[in-house]
Amino acid sequence: MGVRTPTELTTEFRTRGLKVTPQRQLLFRLLHGNMTHPTAERLFAEASAQMPGISLRTVYQTLNDLTAMGELQILQSAAGSARFDPNIDDHHHALCDRCGELHDVYVDHFDSLMVSGFDGFRPDRASIVFGGVCAACAAA
Amino acid sequence: MGVRTPTELTTEFRTRGLKVTPQRQLLFRLLHGNMTHPTAERLFAEASAQMPGISLRTVYQTLNDLTAMGELQILQSAAGSARFDPNIDDHHHALCDRCGELHDVYVDHFDSLMVSGFDGFRPDRASIVFGGVCAACAAA
DNA sequence: TTGCAGATCAGCAGAGGTTGCAGATACGGT
DNA sequence: ACCGTATCTGCAACCTCTGCTGATCTGCAA
Ligand SMILES: [Mn+2]
Ligand SMILES: [Mn+2]
Ligand SMILES: [Zn+2]
Ligand SMILES: [Zn+2]
């Protein structure tokens, strides 16, 4: 779970009555196993290298469709553009202050956390972002 | 700690060689004890009511100055504009899916959380956003 | 295989939020 | 009160993302 292959996404699009165009297939491939939490611009650049002429609009459209299907998570970056995450497993993130890299971390026993102040609020999910310095930047 | 009065902010600005203008003082007052996590536009509207002619640019400038001094936290809202938080105590947030209200929650024993995947990453802070429905919206 | 209705595409214009810039203004040390 | 310089205002530009439109392409039925 949590990793959809291009073939699975193709099937899912067809099942929902959405057409599977070459542009969409390219994006399925670019996203598959992508751990970089890329922005739309970044995916557009990578897509353009393989398919000159593809439009940024189409990239956004496909990312939005995938998000609506629950196949992508959107992560709001502090500065600038949204980042897209094809990892739909329950996980959290570590953001490097120096290079901006975002990588996945997994948290156990999150439910045992003691939280005060909910005051009637009913949480149904939580997202943690750790800030700090990544291994590569610490070495440099 | 965690709550700076307008007087304290005035002193801090002077200490740093920054001037204390009526515009800045008004914003100090509007932020003091403000638990609403307002946007810049919202603060601009409130400020304009008391000081017609103040510019949105000045509001942003002062909020940025305060943030650079560590007297404000910026919270990147998923959709739209940033929200500013004068509460600089270590705390986290609950975001209502219905009305967008953001309120403070406090977490104990955060350090006891089991996190895997840091892989050399050195975290120095963390921010949790709980998603769900607030008490007021659940009642309606 | 062919043809059609409707989905999708590229390209561009525009919205929303934030920042850069330049000339006018005013804080605050003297 | 004066002056030097930080700040203010107003506007234009910027960045990211979405709306719109005519042309093109896809999936499906025949
Ligand atoms: Mn992730
Ligand atoms: Mn807060
Ligand atoms: Zn790094
Ligand atoms: Zn609510």
Side-chain angles (χ1 to χ4, degrees):
Chain A
M1 74 173 283
V3 180
R4 292 288 190 282
T5 64
T7 302
E8 287 170 326
L9 290 177
T10 294
T11 301
E12 187 169 348
F13 265 58
R14 291 230 165 91
T15 299
R16 293 176 179 244
L18 299 174
K19 294 177 178 176
V20 178
T21 64
Q23 289 85 349
R24 291 186 160 184
Q25 288 176 302
L26 172 54
L27 286 165
F28 295 167
R29 290 197 299 275
L30 291 176
L31 286 167
H32 184 233
N34 192 322
M35 299 271 105
T36 66
H37 305 92
T39 62
E41 280 291 347
R42 181 93 192 90
L43 288 165
F44 173 59
E46 292 173 8
S48 295
Q50 293 186 44
M51 184 185 286
I54 189 175
S55 85
L56 179 58
R57 191 68 185 79
T58 297
V59 173
Y60 273 107
Q61 227 146 243
T62 301
L63 293 174
N64 288 342
D65 288 343
L66 285 165
T67 303
M69 292 179 192
E71 297 294 347
L72 278 185
Q73 242 191 292
I74 296 189
L75 304 168
Q76 215 55 35
S77 112
S81 32
R83 301 175 71 157
F84 294 85
D85 192 350
N87 180 353
I88 54 175
D89 285 342
D90 185 42
H91 70 288
H92 301 277
H93 294 96
L95 173 67
C96 177
D97 294 330
R98 305 253 177 90
C99 67
E101 199 202 58
L102 196 60
H103 77 259
D104 292 341
V105 297
Y106 292 82
V107 171
D108 289 330
H109 309 304
F110 185 85
D111 296 337
S112 65
L113 214 60
M114 303 296 288
V115 181
S116 57
F118 272 135
D119 194 29
F121 183 93
R122 297 283 194 80
D124 59 20
R125 71 210 130 77
S127 124
I128 311 179
V129 177
F130 294 88
V133 178
C134 76
C137 287
Chain B
M1 73 171 284
V3 180
R4 292 288 189 283
T5 64
T7 302
E8 287 170 327
L9 291 177
T10 294
T11 301
E12 187 169 349
F13 266 58
R14 290 234 165 87
T15 300
R16 292 175 181 245
L18 299 174
K19 295 179 178 176
V20 178
T21 64
Q23 290 87 345
R24 289 179 167 180
Q25 289 175 300
L26 172 53
L27 285 165
F28 296 167
R29 289 196 300 276
L30 291 177
L31 287 166
H32 184 234
N34 192 323
M35 298 274 106
T36 66
H37 306 92
T39 62
E41 280 291 347
R42 182 94 193 90
L43 287 165
F44 173 59
E46 292 174 7
S48 294
Q50 293 186 46
M51 184 186 286
I54 189 173
S55 82
L56 178 58
R57 192 69 187 82
T58 298
V59 172
Y60 273 107
Q61 225 144 242
T62 302
L63 294 174
N64 288 343
D65 289 342
L66 285 166
T67 302
M69 292 178 191
E71 297 294 348
L72 277 186
Q73 249 190 283
I74 296 189
L75 304 169
Q76 214 58 33
S77 112
S81 33
R83 301 174 70 158
F84 295 85
D85 191 350
N87 180 353
I88 54 177
D89 284 343
D90 184 42
H91 70 289
H92 300 276
H93 294 96
L95 174 66
C96 178
D97 293 329
R98 305 254 179 89
C99 67
E101 200 203 59
L102 196 60
H103 76 259
D104 292 342
V105 299
Y106 291 83
V107 171
D108 289 331
H109 309 303
F110 186 84
D111 296 337
S112 66
L113 213 59
M114 303 296 287
V115 182
S116 57
F118 273 135
D119 193 29
F121 184 95
R122 297 284 193 80
D124 59 20
R125 72 211 130 77
S127 135
I128 311 179
V129 177
F130 295 88
V133 178
C134 76
C137 287

